[in-house]
Amino acid sequence: MEVKGLNIGYGKKIVCPNISFSVDKGECTAIVGINGVGKSTLLRTVGNLQSSLGGILHIDGKSVREMKPHQLAKKISLVLTEPVASKNMTVQELVALGRQPYTNWIGSLSTVDKKKIVDAIEVLELKELKNYKCFELSDGQLQRVMVARALAQDTDIILLDEPTTHLDLFHKVQILKLLKSIAHQTKKTILFTSHEIEMAIQICDKILILDGVENPFDEPCKLIENKSFESLFPSETVQFDGTTGTFRIQK
Amino acid sequence: MVNISFGSVSISFLDTLKALFGSELTNQSWEYIIWNYRVPKAITAILAGAGLALSGLLMQTLFRNPLAGPFVLGISSGASLGAAILIMGFSLFTGLLTSSLINDVSIAIASSIGSFVVLFLVIGIASRIKDTMALLIIGLMFGSITAAIVSVLSYFTNAESLQQYVYWTFGSVGGLTWTQLIILSSMILLGILLSVLAIKSLNGYLLGENYARSLGVNLKKSRFIIIISTGILAGSITAFTGPIAFIGLAVPHLTRQIFNTTNHKILVPAVLIFGSCILLLCDLVAQLPGQATVLPINAITSIIGAPVVIWLLMRKRKMIF
């Protein structure tokens, strides 16, 4: 996936200009930045839920904007922050909806579809939960179900909007480690927004820092070398410590 | 068949069966009543029940709102406006008693014109706005406008016309000729076919619009199919039977409670069957077996239906949606 000089925003208002980055297969990338800088907007733009305001956005050399919904559905899958409209589905049924881009006009599942669903459920360790209804699950379990659905969609790229919100430390780490292993083992491109900068530094292959000006993008250690994290927050409140890769509260 | 055997003129169940399967009846007029009145009425109830329930399901899924029904897009308000203008407006503006012009057929035509005018307005707006929820509000606003016009008309009209209009709003599944039935059933069939085409995208809508889109659902196209299908179903039924309330709202809920699923591959056929059974049952009760009077079907659908839904919700303690 290649992004060059992309402007994102709503209507005529540009939220964040000039974003450039490119990610390869098997890479796990985080998008970080302060509230309101446009992380989710960028993700929604890449997923073609809203249109870009100029710039290049290509997948496999093809422009995302020119792809039909059913073509794009085989390239990009999404995990959004919005809750699913109906939680009265079993885990298995919800994961199975991920196969929609491949099923026939009435949505019958083939043997291939069924295998992909079983695989996705297994990877996300949801086997015991597969007959539970979604309203019976905890936030962490539901998040895993949504990732399983995206995985079942079997796209090259998986976009996740704040997959770690509302989760405790253990479940945050669990989800992020799962994302990384999925990216490395299945050679998928994973791109997610997060406020967990310290964890992203430890886990991700690359990080895009949205600051609305330069929007640096690189490997975490190089970003630390370039002191890119230091200007992220006002230094009188929190300061970044490059040696440990953590933020310190200024007292 | 039980439905057919009951009515103002009591005909025994056995004789009904005989008439239906072509044996000679001792009483010729019974045969006439059964074939030209009771059988069409039962078929109308089946068609209307199935169609209203299905359009209710379509609207609840499209708007992801458990309170949506077949009439949220203003279809029944359009129909009432058509009927009101014909019944009350006509006598008001011409100053004539035009009862000769007003009969079941002309009311059906007027109300279908009304409902389709409103439907096309809503479709026109739907193609311009992105937000489905806004569409729901716009449908409700159309309802308010038409209701206002109807009340102005009823304020100025004479008592006789007002009574006739109110009588229409009670709804009735009786009085359709075989020709009308053929028109109604082909419309319902068309509506059902369109809904079947939309089953896959309806299941996608269960995740929400953004997810549906990411699964390759063409939102504009599927929304158009769903609205058109609802319009054809609810519009044609309302034209022939008047606005029958409750079935469209309640049957999808009953079906979800009983089948405990949200998969439209099961729900679509299930609401069709439940809808027709329930309206048939309501019609049977409305006949007041053994009595000469017939109650308005709209009262019966709610009197029977509402407690059933309340009971189901209380028993399961959780609404399934």
Side-chain angles (χ1 to χ4, degrees), chain B residues 160-237:
Chain B
E160 199 186 324
S161 300
L162 186 62
Q163 192 187 19
Q164 202 176 5
Y165 173 73
V166 170
Y167 191 77
W168 176 81
T169 62
F170 284 157
S172 158
V173 290
L176 266 72
T177 63
W178 281 100
T179 337
Q180 287 172 316
L181 262 185
I182 290 168
I183 300 172
L184 180 62
S185 44
S186 33
M187 296 291 260
I188 304 275
L189 200 65
L190 184 64
I192 293 174
L193 280 177
L194 284 173
S195 323
V196 170
L197 286 180
I199 284 180
K200 187 173 161 180
S201 36
L202 283 168
N203 281 335
Y205 274 108
L206 290 175
L207 293 177
E209 269 183 23
N210 281 330
Y211 279 119
R213 187 165 163 177
S214 82
L215 285 168
V217 174
N218 186 332
L219 290 186
K220 266 197 170 167
K221 198 174 117 192
S222 60
R223 196 164 71 170
F224 186 73
I225 294 179
I226 293 169
I227 292 176
I228 285 280
S229 155
T230 304
I232 291 173
L233 290 168
S236 59
I237 291 166

Side-chain angles (χ1 to χ4, degrees), chain A residues 44 48-49 69-70 73 78-80 82 84-86 88-89 93-94 97-98 100-101 103-108 133 135 146 149 153, chain B residues 64 130 196-197 199-201 203-218 256 260-263 265 318 320-321:
Chain A
R44 293 167 57 90
N48 208 25
L49 293 180
H70 66 271
L78 300 174
V79 176
L80 303 168
E82 60 190 67
V84 292
S86 167
N88 189 44
M89 275 182 271
E93 282 174 320
L94 197 146
L97 281 177
Q100 272 217 353
T103 54
N104 61 2
W105 66 276
I106 200 158
S108 309
K133 295 271 184 184
F135 60 76
M146 296 312 288
R149 191 207 59 84
Q153 203 174 331
Chain B
R64 294 171 299 286
K130 274 192 172 168
V196 170
L197 286 180
I199 284 180
K200 187 173 161 180
S201 36
N203 281 335
Y205 274 108
L206 290 175
L207 293 177
E209 269 183 23
N210 281 330
Y211 279 119
R213 187 165 163 177
S214 82
L215 285 168
V217 174
N218 186 332
R256 279 192 211 98
N260 198 8
T261 182
T262 49
N263 186 347
K265 263 199 257 181
K318 179 138 180 63
I320 294 168
F321 185 66

Side-chain angles (χ1 to χ4, degrees), chain A residues 227-246:
Chain A
K227 302 191 187 299
S228 300
F229 290 108
E230 271 149 58
S231 54
L232 199 56
F233 302 115
S235 58
E236 62 270 22
T237 322
V238 274
Q239 216 165 27
F240 186 72
D241 179 358
T243 49
T244 54
T246 52

Side-chain angles (χ1 to χ4, degrees), chain A residues 26-249:
Chain A
E27 279 183 347
C28 181
T29 306
I31 304 168
V32 300
I34 56 169
N35 283 330
V37 76
K39 297 185 297 296
S40 298
T41 313
L42 173 62
L43 213 65
R44 293 167 57 90
T45 310
V46 174
N48 208 25
L49 293 180
Q50 63 186 80
S51 34
S52 67
L53 305 177
I56 292 169
L57 171 56
H58 281 176
I59 292 172
D60 295 337
K62 273 187 243 155
S63 167
V64 167
R65 267 184 133 176
E66 281 156 26
M67 282 191 218
K68 295 251 159 62
H70 66 271
Q71 292 171 317
L72 196 65
K74 292 179 183 174
K75 293 276 180 203
I76 297 182
S77 54
L78 300 174
V79 176
L80 303 168
T81 43
E82 60 190 67
V84 292
S86 167
K87 286 197 174 170
N88 189 44
M89 275 182 271
T90 63
V91 169
Q92 195 163 7
E93 282 174 320
L94 197 146
V95 175
L97 281 177
R99 297 304 297 169
Q100 272 217 353
Y102 306 92
T103 54
N104 61 2
W105 66 276
I106 200 158
S108 309
L109 298 169
S110 68
T111 23
V112 179
D113 293 328
K114 283 178 188 152
K115 172 139 196 343
K116 297 266 182 196
I117 294 162
V118 172
D119 289 351
I121 287 176
E122 212 143 277
V123 171
L124 274 299
E125 296 159 18
L126 292 165
K127 229 173 161 184
E128 281 88 47
L129 299 174
K130 70 174 184 185
N131 292 321
Y132 279 58
K133 295 271 184 184
C134 288
F135 60 76
E136 297 172 309
L137 304 180
S138 70
D139 286 346
Q141 291 167 333
L142 193 60
Q143 192 60 268
R144 262 158 48 211
V145 175
M146 296 312 288
V147 177
R149 191 207 59 84
L151 196 61
Q153 203 174 331
D154 198 20
T155 52
D156 294 340
I157 300 165
I158 302 177
L159 306 178
L160 305 97
D161 196 3
E162 303 201 11
T164 55
T165 25
H166 304 307
L167 304 185
D168 60 41
L169 187 64
F170 166 71
H171 286 99
K172 275 178 184 162
V173 176
Q174 185 191 36
I175 282 278
L176 292 182
K177 282 181 83 173
L178 266 167
L179 290 179
K180 186 184 183 175
S181 73
I182 290 169
H184 289 189
Q185 278 163 21
T186 59
K187 293 286 159 218
K188 289 183 189 301
T189 307
I190 289 184
L191 190 62
F192 68 92
T193 61
S194 184
H195 287 294
E196 308 302 328
I197 302 173
E198 295 172 4
M199 286 185 203
I201 289 173
Q202 294 179 56
I203 278 180
C204 293
D205 302 304
K206 295 213 173 121
I207 293 180
L208 171 68
I209 305 177
L210 284 192
D211 57 11
V213 193
E214 289 177 15
N215 307 320
F217 168 76
D218 215 325
E219 287 166 25
C221 48
K222 286 192 182 145
L223 287 169
I224 293 174
E225 274 172 38
N226 296 338
K227 302 191 187 299
S228 300
F229 290 108
E230 271 149 58
S231 54
L232 199 56
F233 302 115
S235 58
E236 62 270 22
T237 322
V238 274
Q239 216 165 27
F240 186 72
D241 179 358
T243 49
T244 54
T246 52
F247 287 92
R248 298 238 171 267
I249 299 169

Side-chain angles (χ1 to χ4, degrees), chain B residues 16-250:
Chain B
T16 313
L17 284 184
K18 273 189 199 160
L20 286 177
F21 292 109
S23 355
E24 287 281 315
L25 275 193
T26 41
N27 191 331
Q28 285 288 318
S29 61
W30 283 5
E31 209 172 313
Y32 183 82
I33 290 173
I34 286 176
W35 277 109
N36 288 301
Y37 186 71
R38 302 239 176 117
V39 174
K41 189 161 70 67
I43 296 176
T44 314
I46 290 170
L47 290 172
L52 288 172
L54 178 58
S55 49
L57 174 70
L58 294 179
M59 288 297 100
Q60 286 175 4
T61 304
L62 178 68
F63 292 117
R64 294 171 299 286
N65 188 329
L67 287 176
F71 301 135
V72 285
L73 295 176
I75 290 162
S76 75
S77 1
S80 353
L81 185 64
I85 289 177
L86 179 77
I87 299 170
M88 305 191 290
F90 216 69
S91 65
L92 198 65
F93 291 120
T94 54
L96 299 168
L97 266 181
T98 44
S99 46
S100 57
L101 273 176
I102 299 169
N103 53 39
D104 288 350
V105 179
S106 65
I107 292 177
I109 294 170
S111 55
S112 44
I113 292 173
S115 57
F116 274 86
V117 165
V118 172
L119 182 67
F120 281 119
L121 278 173
V122 171
I123 291 172
I125 292 170
S127 61
R128 274 163 211 225
I129 57 170
K130 274 192 172 168
D131 191 349
T132 311
M133 291 306 152
L135 197 59
L136 190 61
I137 309 279
I138 288 166
L140 288 172
M141 291 302 114
F142 270 116
S144 302
I145 296 171
T146 51
I149 300 174
V150 170
S151 21
V152 171
L153 280 173
S154 7
Y155 184 76
F156 286 110
T157 194
N158 57 37
E160 199 186 324
S161 300
L162 186 62
Q163 192 187 19
Q164 202 176 5
Y165 173 73
V166 170
Y167 191 77
W168 176 81
T169 62
F170 284 157
S172 158
V173 290
L176 266 72
T177 63
W178 281 100
T179 337
Q180 287 172 316
L181 262 185
I182 290 168
I183 300 172
L184 180 62
S185 44
S186 33
M187 296 291 260
I188 304 275
L189 200 65
L190 184 64
I192 293 174
L193 280 177
L194 284 173
S195 323
V196 170
L197 286 180
I199 284 180
K200 187 173 161 180
S201 36
L202 283 168
N203 281 335
Y205 274 108
L206 290 175
L207 293 177
E209 269 183 23
N210 281 330
Y211 279 119
R213 187 165 163 177
S214 82
L215 285 168
V217 174
N218 186 332
L219 290 186
K220 266 197 170 167
K221 198 174 117 192
S222 60
R223 196 164 71 170
F224 186 73
I225 294 179
I226 293 169
I227 292 176
I228 285 280
S229 155
T230 304
I232 291 173
L233 290 168
S236 59
I237 291 166
T238 310
F240 286 113
T241 66
I244 293 179
F246 199 78
I247 297 283
L249 173 72

